[in-house]
Structure formats: structure tokens, C-alpha cells
Amino acid sequence: EAPLAWSHNRVEGSTEYTQLLFVPAKAPFDLWNRDKKGGLKLYVKRVFIMDEAEALLPNYLRFIKGVVDSADLPLNVSRELLQESRDVRAIRDGNTKRVLALLENLAQHDVPAADASEEDKANAGKYSKFYAEFGSVLKEGLGEDFANRERLAKLLRFASTASDTAHVSLADYKARMKEGQAAIYYITADTLAAARNSPQLEVFKKKGIEVLLMSERVDEWALS
């Protein structure tokens, strides 16, 4: 199946490598199997080294597929050496930033403007599709990757009393806040249906105040 999005980039500088990264269109059936090995295919100077180099991406991006070809690592590199290598840490950071930039671009063009280009129109709805498949995994990054926590929070989407879908960003919510509203209101429950039908929402509905609906604890971390 064709990927939802991809990025091909050559990085030069203190650490040199080529990255080819893919965002799959569908989540694998074993996405939540913590024992399953993930990671990118690693090459060194176009020589194949290993099939699942877990050190090249953080665990919350384990759904990403692709290839990294390094010009600096030794040909006899092992999994243990990968965990300790400064060059590998640089590649890992570079891969993470590239994936987040790719997702940010998809999110930006998820709902194209009226005068959008053909390319933007082609990307319409892709982030919504991505989030439906991988949104729950992406949330793990809030507790694992503090360096990119703010970027990840902007990529999160929520259900709300103003939408039937879970595609409301924090920026969307803030843009619709009532004049004088100084807080983001949210309600948690075991399920989204229970949150949406909570009697506690009546007072907010009467005042026309939007409330975010949450059924996962990690959603609350994004607001703190």
C-alpha cells in the first residue's frame, strides 16, 4: 500500500547521512505489542548493517518505516554500540525532527484554503487519516520526549462539544474562545460518549462555551 507521506533528505555537517522515511497509511495489527522490534533499516556507506535499528527513532515514532545510510558509522557497528554512539544520537534527533516537520506540514494542510494549490489540495484530509491510525501512539511522546513536547502538543487533536470528530487542535480551540474566556475547559470520562453526555456540560452549552472531551489521561498532559 502506498505511504501516506514520505521524506527524502541528505544531511551534511558533523554527521553525514541520508534518510528516507515513510509514514504508513495504516497501522499494523501489532502496533501495541511492546515486545515487537521496530526501527529503520541501517546502512553504512551503502552496505546493509541491520534491519531494525531501534536506536534511530524514539519509541513513540515506532510506526515510521524507512532507511538511513550513514557515512560515519563503522561497518562493524552493533546494537550495543548504537546506543552509545554520539553520531547515532545526532541521527536520531535528525530523524525525529524530520518526521515531526512532515506531520506538521500534513496538519497545516489538512483543511486547505479556498485558494490552495493543487499540492495542498492533494494533502487535504491526510493528517486526519494519520491521526485516526497513529494519534494514540503519538501521545506517548509527551511523556518520553520533553525536548519536542511543545511540537507534539500542537499535533494532538481532541474531541469537543463543537465537533463530532476528534480533530480539534488546541490552536483551533483558542481561536474560538469567547471574549474574556481565560481558561481551556475540558471534561474526562471513561469513554468519549460518556463525556459528551455528561450533565456537567449543560451550563457550558447554555453559555456557548466549547469544552474538550477526553477519555485518555495523556490528553490532560498536553494542557498542563
Side-chain angles (χ1 to χ4, degrees):
E1 186 173 354
L4 192 65
W6 59 277
S7 175
H8 183 205
N9 189 50
R10 178 172 176 80
V11 179
E12 297 180 343
S14 57
T15 303
E16 296 187 7
Y17 59 95
T18 301
Q19 56 186 188
L20 179 58
L21 307 173
F22 297 92
V23 179
K26 295 288 185 181
F29 71 92
D30 55 356
L31 181 65
W32 298 104
N33 182 0
R34 304 290 291 189
D35 296 328
K36 177 185 178 295
K37 289 185 178 180
L40 306 175
K41 297 181 185 297
L42 175 62
Y43 287 72
V44 174
K45 299 175 183 177
R46 300 189 180 183
V47 176
F48 176 70
I49 303 299
M50 65 181 67
D51 196 39
E52 297 169 330
E54 298 172 285
L56 299 182
L57 274 176
N59 192 54
Y60 70 92
L61 295 179
R62 58 186 176 274
F63 54 86
I64 296 294
K65 304 298 182 183
V67 177
V68 168
D69 185 7
S70 171
D72 301 313
L73 295 175
L75 290 173
N76 63 343
V77 64
S78 64
R79 292 188 182 277
E80 291 72 23
L81 205 62
L82 286 179
Q83 300 292 339
E84 303 171 358
S85 170
R86 179 183 62 83
D87 289 327
V88 170
R89 287 196 294 269
I91 295 173
R92 176 191 174 97
D93 291 342
N95 288 338
T96 301
K97 291 177 180 177
R98 179 61 57 174
V99 171
L100 293 182
L102 186 61
L103 296 179
E104 287 166 347
N105 183 64
L106 290 180
Q108 182 181 353
H109 300 103
D110 198 42
V111 180
D115 58 347
S117 65
E118 290 302 319
E119 181 181 357
D120 289 346
K121 291 179 180 178
N123 286 326
K126 283 189 175 181
Y127 190 74
S128 296
K129 293 178 182 177
F130 161 81
Y131 203 80
E133 296 290 330
F134 302 107
S136 295
V137 187
L138 197 66
K139 293 174 186 177
E140 294 178 9
L142 293 175
E144 296 177 5
D145 188 356
F146 290 98
N148 292 302
R149 193 171 185 268
E150 291 188 10
R151 296 182 71 178
L152 287 166
K154 293 177 181 178
L155 289 170
L156 297 190
R157 297 294 182 266
F158 305 88
S160 92
T161 53
S163 172
D164 292 332
T165 61
H167 296 149
V168 176
S169 68
L170 293 178
D172 292 336
Y173 181 94
K174 291 176 67 177
R176 293 195 293 261
M177 286 172 65
K178 293 285 186 179
E179 185 176 352
Q181 181 180 339
I184 294 176
Y185 294 98
Y186 67 93
I187 186 169
T188 59
D190 291 336
T191 65
L192 286 179
R196 194 177 294 278
N197 294 317
S198 172
Q200 295 176 322
L201 294 178
E202 292 304 318
V203 64
F204 294 95
K205 291 178 180 178
K206 290 179 180 179
K207 295 182 178 181
I209 296 177
E210 182 177 4
V211 179
L212 298 179
L213 311 173
M214 301 182 182
S215 61
E216 296 185 58
R217 180 69 179 178
V218 70
D219 285 334
E220 297 183 57
W221 299 348
L223 303 179
S224 62

